[in-house]
């Protein structure tokens, strides 16, 4: 599991005088699903374009199964299936003709394989229809089918959930998990919505203004699954905040009459107990599950358009 | 099928799957049939001459033409030309081959400017459209070098030109055969060259006539292909190439006095200027010079197309 499928080494991109990607370094393991999260304009698509050789790197290198995209392009890109930005296909050709077109570009793709990927993305019924008439979600699925044709060991999907309905997202999630777990495929999924892809990722990386600001193992969060977002109405609130800080080492935020903080579920009665002992009136307590989104909201925030 | 052939088959499929390509062919077919029918009804063309009576046939024809000329003076130039040709046959005791499919094909060489036009449209779109559709991204992220993809596209343009040319030849042949019959395996005809009539092979004329035009086609299609690669914009490539094709000669005439005029592409594209009897556009130009100039232009076009296609980033617009 710890073999690197793709490695970014201090990748930089400058267009004109503007530095868009400022030294990205990270590694994606085989069989790992990596979520590439960032607000609009953070540089996700630009990074992906460099990963697949559409854009040249200003500096640094991308290694795919050990092959440099710069010096060993064909060997490197053979391992990659991708959709970059929108899943654009030839609108005047049918889904079938589009897939056949891409199948002809790589040796060894059989008719059966084409059928297989069509089934995977659930587009059997639309194969004879012109892509120009496809809905966005259908094109997204065809894009994924196209990326899977040659059984790549690295799958790169730029905002694949864009345009998919909830059922579609669930299907893709299931399929991506299966690819990673059974076929040991490394998957990179970009999105600006953490919540949409959180459930399918093993790890997420957060990019902002061309820099990787954090990476996070998702299952760590799952392990502390009982970490809750707690909202509690108390008075006097200043005293309560003080107590939380000294007794529980929790930094709580004040929102109106409510205190907001994160806490394991088991500790909640204890906190209430302590409050009562200190003569603090507790009016109501509500708890919600803390999501990664909550955790990273501050980090992601908004991209400052430079 | 080898990898490269598959790339070419992909490109050809993309050209021929769209309706507008077939509309182009239908337009060509209509024009060919139209000129054929026009020739058949308006022009009083003698289709064939019998071996025992062709002399009297020609004399009758001359008499009719002279009569016609007196009635309708506007026919004078045309009719006297035909009479002159008929007299040539009579004087040299040659039985004319008559008008038929071969002659029809020969006369349709003007359709090659239309074939050039269609080829320019295809060449202009073959790269630029991939950018417009956004499909260039999926096309390039394959284990195939950009150079190879570029060559497959260029070869496909040439194949399109070849198929369209063959279509014009064969369809003209069939239409001509149906409307006028076939005037033998290797007919000859009288053409005016250097102010006098010459008795020449029709097939030879077809080859040279179409051949000269093909050089222009090749240069303009390559030009459009280059613009398509450099600017990634098919409208610009079509517009520029067609505009230059039409005003090319005027440009040369306009600058004819300048010493550098002979280096203009269009001073060199029409190699028929060196055919016997013709005088080159600009004094002192030779066939060798023009071929060298064409080669230089061709290499520059290809090099530009290649550099821009292989070296430039495929970024969002
Ligand atoms: N061709 C270009 N020339 C100049 N700047 C560009 C170019 N392409 C992208 N950029 C800039 O690079 C930055 C990153 O763009 P990118 O498309 O990678 O963002 P993204 O993370 O994919 O955003 P989104 O979520 O909107 O898709 C943006 O600020 C954008 O303005
Ligand atoms: Mg993007």
């Amino acid at each position: 599991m710890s073999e690197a499928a793709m490695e970014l080494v201090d990748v930089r991109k400058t267009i004109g005088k503007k530095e868009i990607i400022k030294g990205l370094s990270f590694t994606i393991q085989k069989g790992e699903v990596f979520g590439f999260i960032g607000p609009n304009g953070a540089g996700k698509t630009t990074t992906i374009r460099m990963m697949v050789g559409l854009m040249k790197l200003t500096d640094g290198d991308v290694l795919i199964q050990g092959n440099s995209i710069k010096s060993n392009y064909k060997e490197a890109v053979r391992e990659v299936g991708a959709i970059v930005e929108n899943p654009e296909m030839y609108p005047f050709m049918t889904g079938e003709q589009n897939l056949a077109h891409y199948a002809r570009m790589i040796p060894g793709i059989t008719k059966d394989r084409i059928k297989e990927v069509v089934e995977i993305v659930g587009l059997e019924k639309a194969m004879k229809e012109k892509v120009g008439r496809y809905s966005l979600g259908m094109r997204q699925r065809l894009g994924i089918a196209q990326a899977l044709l040659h059984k790549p060991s690295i799958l790169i999907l730029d905002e694949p959930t864009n345009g998919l309905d909830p059922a579609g997202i669930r299907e893709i999630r299931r399929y991506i998990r299966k690819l990673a777990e059974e076929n040991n495929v490394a998957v990179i999924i970009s999105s600006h919505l953490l919540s949409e892809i959180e459930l399918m990722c093993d790890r997420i990386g957060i990019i902002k203004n061309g820099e990787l600001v954090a990476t996070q193992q998702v299952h760590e969060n799952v392990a502390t699954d009982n970490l809750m977002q707690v909202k509690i109405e108390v008075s006097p609130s200043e005293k309560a905040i003080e107590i939380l800080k000294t007794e529980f080492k929790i930094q709580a935020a004040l929102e109106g009459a409510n205190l907001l903080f994160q806490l394991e579920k088991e500790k909640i009665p204890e906190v209430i107990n302590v409050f009562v002992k200190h003569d603090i009136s507790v009016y109501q307590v509500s708890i919600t599950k803390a999501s990664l989104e909550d955790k990273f909201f501050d980090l992601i925030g908004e991209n400052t358009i430079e | 099928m080898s990898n490269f052939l598959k790339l070419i088959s992909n490109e050809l499929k993309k050209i021929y799957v769209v309706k507008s390509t077939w509309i182009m062919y239908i337009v060509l077919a209509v024009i060919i049939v139209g000129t054929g029918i026009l020739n058949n009804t308006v022009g009083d063309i003698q289709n064939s001459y019998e071996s025992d009576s062709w002399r009297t046939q020609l004399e009758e024809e001359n008499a009719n033409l002279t009569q016609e000329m007196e009635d309708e003076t506007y026919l004078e130039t045309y009719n006297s030309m035909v009479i002159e040709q008929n007299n040539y046959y009579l004087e040299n005791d040659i039985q004319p081959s008559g008008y038929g499919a071969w002659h029809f094909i020969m006369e349709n060489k003007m359709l090659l400017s239309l074939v050039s036009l269609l080829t320019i449209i295809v060449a202009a779109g073959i790269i630029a459209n991939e950018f417009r559709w956004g499909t260039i991204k999926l096309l390039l992220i394959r284990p195939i070098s950009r150079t190879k993809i570029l060559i497959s596209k260029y070869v496909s343009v040439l194949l399109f030109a070849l198929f369209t040319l063959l279509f014009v030849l064969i369809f003209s042949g069939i239409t001509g055969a149906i409307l006028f019959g076939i005037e033998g395996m290797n007919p000859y005809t009288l053409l005016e060259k250097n102010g006098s009539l010459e008795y020449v092979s029709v097939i030879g004329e077809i080859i040279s006539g179409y051949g000269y035009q093909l050089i222009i086609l090749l240069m303009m299609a390559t030009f459009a292909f280059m613009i398509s690669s450099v600017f990634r914009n098919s409208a610009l490539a079509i517009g520029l190439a067609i505009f230059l094709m039409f005003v090319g000669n005027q440009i040369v005439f306009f600058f004819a006095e300048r010493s550098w005029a002979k280096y203009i592409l269009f001073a060199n594209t029409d190699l028929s200027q060196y055919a016997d009897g013709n005088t080159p556009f600009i004094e002192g130009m030779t066939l060798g010079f023009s071929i060298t100039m064409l080669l230089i232009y061709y290499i520059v076009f290809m090099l530009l197309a290649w550099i821009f296609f292989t070296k430039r980033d495929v970024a969002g617009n």
Side-chain angles (χ1 to χ4, degrees):
Chain A
M1 259 297 279
S2 62
E3 258 176 292
M6 181 182 259
E7 202 180 342
L8 274 72
V9 188
D10 195 30
V11 171
R12 284 167 198 278
K13 180 72 187 177
T14 309
I15 300 183
K17 285 209 167 74
K18 191 172 157 199
E19 195 173 20
I20 292 172
I21 304 296
K22 301 159 184 165
L24 280 187
S25 296
F26 57 86
T27 304
I28 296 133
Q29 310 298 337
K30 283 181 183 162
E32 182 185 40
V33 182
F34 183 78
F36 197 38
I37 316 288
N40 292 135
K44 302 181 294 293
T45 302
T46 307
T47 308
I48 288 174
R49 281 178 193 269
M50 287 192 283
M51 285 175 175
V52 296
L54 288 175
M55 276 180 155
K56 291 209 169 50
L57 285 74
T58 306
D59 203 2
D61 204 350
V62 173
L63 301 172
I64 299 172
Q65 309 272 41
N67 291 308
S68 159
I69 194 83
K70 295 203 295 197
S71 56
N72 230 346
Y73 172 74
K74 277 196 240 174
E75 282 68 24
V77 93
R78 180 167 285 135
E79 300 294 328
V80 176
I83 9 179
V84 183
E85 219 140 48
N86 306 311
E88 285 127 335
M89 301 274 174
Y90 300 100
F92 48 84
M93 299 206 288
T94 65
E96 200 168 35
Q97 287 170 329
N98 268 288
L99 288 183
H101 172 273
Y102 293 113
R104 265 181 237 112
M105 297 187 78
I106 300 172
I109 298 176
T110 60
K111 282 216 168 66
D112 287 340
R113 177 62 187 163
I114 297 181
K115 250 179 91 181
E116 208 174 295
V117 295
V118 169
E119 276 164 26
I120 288 168
V121 297
L123 269 184
E124 297 96 325
K125 291 210 182 79
M127 274 298 103
K128 302 264 185 242
E129 222 177 292
K130 287 214 171 97
V131 169
R133 301 208 194 103
Y134 276 25
S135 70
L136 177 56
M138 285 160 84
R139 268 186 283 139
Q140 200 68 260
R141 285 162 195 250
L142 190 63
I144 293 172
Q146 160 280 131
L148 291 173
L149 273 176
H150 53 293
K151 300 189 176 165
S153 54
I154 297 164
L155 185 62
I156 302 176
L157 305 174
D158 194 4
E159 308 209 14
T161 50
N162 183 14
L164 285 183
D165 48 29
I169 294 180
R170 234 179 355 258
E171 266 171 57
I172 297 234
R173 178 191 308 151
R174 208 171 46 230
Y175 185 67
I176 284 174
R177 289 303 329 165
K178 195 173 141 207
L179 271 180
E181 279 154 27
E182 291 175 15
N183 305 12
N184 215 19
V185 173
V187 187
I188 299 164
I189 308 177
S190 89
S191 179
H192 44 251
L193 278 178
L194 180 52
S195 55
E196 270 191 347
I197 62 166
E198 185 185 337
L199 285 173
M200 50 184 137
C201 295
D202 296 311
R203 194 159 58 104
I204 55 165
I206 291 167
I207 180 177
K208 196 174 159 185
N209 296 324
E211 283 169 300
L212 200 66
V213 290
T215 56
Q216 162 83 29
Q217 213 72 33
V218 174
H219 62 76
E220 279 171 14
N221 185 58
V222 176
T224 56
D225 208 3
N226 47 358
L227 189 71
M228 294 291 167
Q229 182 80 17
V230 182
K231 192 173 174 184
I232 183 164
E233 191 183 340
V234 288
S235 89
S237 43
E238 291 76 26
K239 198 171 162 195
I241 291 175
E242 196 54 41
I243 290 165
L244 282 173
K245 204 190 246 167
T246 50
E247 309 245 324
F248 299 95
K249 310 225 175 331
I250 293 172
Q251 195 73 45
L254 186 64
E255 190 192 88
N258 297 315
L259 295 185
L260 293 174
F261 54 91
Q262 289 175 4
L263 189 67
E264 285 86 43
K265 197 171 177 179
E266 300 80 59
K267 288 197 179 151
I268 293 172
E270 196 184 327
V271 169
I272 295 173
N273 251 331
V274 175
F275 279 169
V276 172
K277 270 185 206 149
H278 284 85
D279 270 345
I280 294 172
S281 327
V282 178
Y283 298 96
Q284 60 175 335
V285 182
S286 69
I287 53 173
T288 45
K289 225 179 121 203
S291 67
L292 269 182
E293 189 102 36
D294 295 323
K295 187 166 172 193
F296 283 104
F297 187 79
D298 293 337
L299 264 183
I300 302 174
E302 249 175 66
N303 202 49
T304 43
I305 311 271
E306 287 164 358
Chain B
M1 224 183 342
S2 93
N3 201 345
F4 188 64
L5 288 181
K6 281 184 179 172
L7 288 183
I8 289 176
S9 107
N10 265 353
E11 293 305 326
L12 288 176
K13 280 201 169 79
K14 283 184 272 186
I15 294 173
Y16 282 102
V17 82
V18 290
K19 281 198 198 85
S20 58
T21 309
W22 294 103
I23 293 172
M24 291 176 187
Y25 278 82
I26 291 170
V27 168
L28 271 179
V30 168
I31 291 176
I32 291 170
V33 173
T35 36
I37 290 172
L38 219 64
N39 272 358
N40 208 10
T41 51
V42 177
D44 42 0
I45 295 161
Q46 191 71 39
N47 285 346
S48 57
Y49 296 89
E50 306 298 325
S51 56
D52 47 356
S53 63
W54 61 269
R55 287 183 191 81
T56 38
Q57 271 179 300
L58 283 181
E59 275 155 10
E60 270 169 33
E61 215 175 278
N62 277 354
N64 287 340
L65 288 166
T66 321
Q67 182 64 43
E68 210 178 57
M69 235 156 58
E70 278 160 17
D71 299 342
E72 319 258 4
T73 44
Y74 69 91
L75 289 171
E76 212 175 292
T77 23
Y78 177 74
N79 284 13
S80 50
M81 190 187 82
V82 180
I83 293 171
E84 197 189 333
Q85 288 180 0
N86 286 350
N87 287 339
Y88 183 97
Y89 286 121
L90 289 168
E91 279 158 27
N92 293 283
D93 199 29
I94 305 166
Q95 182 190 338
S97 65
Y99 192 86
W102 293 110
H103 277 77
F104 188 58
I105 295 175
M106 180 181 76
E107 286 174 2
N108 276 348
K109 76 170 182 202
M110 47 110 191
L111 281 180
L112 269 202
S113 48
L114 215 58
V115 176
S116 304
L117 210 79
L118 303 188
T119 310
I120 285 172
I121 292 172
V122 168
I126 202 157
I127 294 173
N129 283 345
E130 300 273 3
F131 280 91
R132 188 159 57 86
W133 296 323
T135 45
I136 188 74
K137 294 174 290 187
L138 292 185
L139 191 73
L140 292 184
I141 54 166
R142 313 285 146 180
I144 301 169
S145 71
R146 288 195 192 182
T147 305
K148 206 165 171 184
I149 288 178
L150 184 79
I151 295 173
S152 76
K153 282 186 173 293
Y154 185 69
V155 170
S156 301
V157 171
L158 298 187
L159 285 174
F160 171 82
L162 179 69
F163 296 157
T164 314
L165 169 71
L166 285 178
F167 175 78
V168 167
L169 286 175
I170 293 170
F171 197 75
S172 295
I174 292 171
T175 310
I178 291 170
L179 291 173
F180 315 109
I182 299 169
E183 69 276 38
M185 291 310 291
N186 186 16
Y188 273 68
T189 193
L190 277 177
L191 284 184
E192 198 175 305
K193 293 197 169 187
N194 330 320
S196 68
L197 287 173
E198 261 180 53
Y199 193 57
V200 293
S201 156
V202 174
I203 293 174
E205 278 304 305
I206 290 174
I207 293 172
S208 64
Y210 279 69
Y212 289 133
Q213 297 241 31
L214 279 178
I215 292 167
I216 301 174
L217 180 153
L218 179 73
M219 293 308 295
M220 293 319 292
T222 308
F223 174 77
F225 185 76
M226 178 271 285
I227 298 289
S228 178
S229 169
V230 173
F231 295 101
R232 299 174 175 182
N233 181 326
S234 66
L236 181 72
I238 294 174
L240 215 52
I242 290 177
F243 174 75
L244 287 178
M245 195 169 80
F246 282 116
V247 303
N249 284 342
Q250 271 94 305
I251 294 176
V252 178
F253 281 121
F254 190 77
F255 293 112
E257 299 302 310
R258 310 292 172 89
S259 58
W260 43 265
K262 60 180 175 180
Y263 300 110
I264 299 173
L265 171 64
F266 302 99
N268 299 287
T269 43
D270 184 9
L271 290 185
S272 69
Q273 60 181 309
Y274 303 110
D276 34 48
N278 293 352
T279 44
F281 280 134
I282 293 160
E283 234 183 79
M285 284 172 66
T286 63
L287 180 62
F289 172 80
S290 280
I291 290 176
T292 313
M293 285 313 295
L294 288 179
L295 273 177
I296 291 172
Y297 272 105
Y298 184 82
I299 291 168
V300 169
F301 290 166
M302 291 304 272
L303 216 58
L304 282 174
W306 178 76
I307 290 170
F308 277 83
F309 190 73
T310 56
K311 304 285 180 230
R312 239 173 85 186
D313 276 353
V314 178
N317 303 313

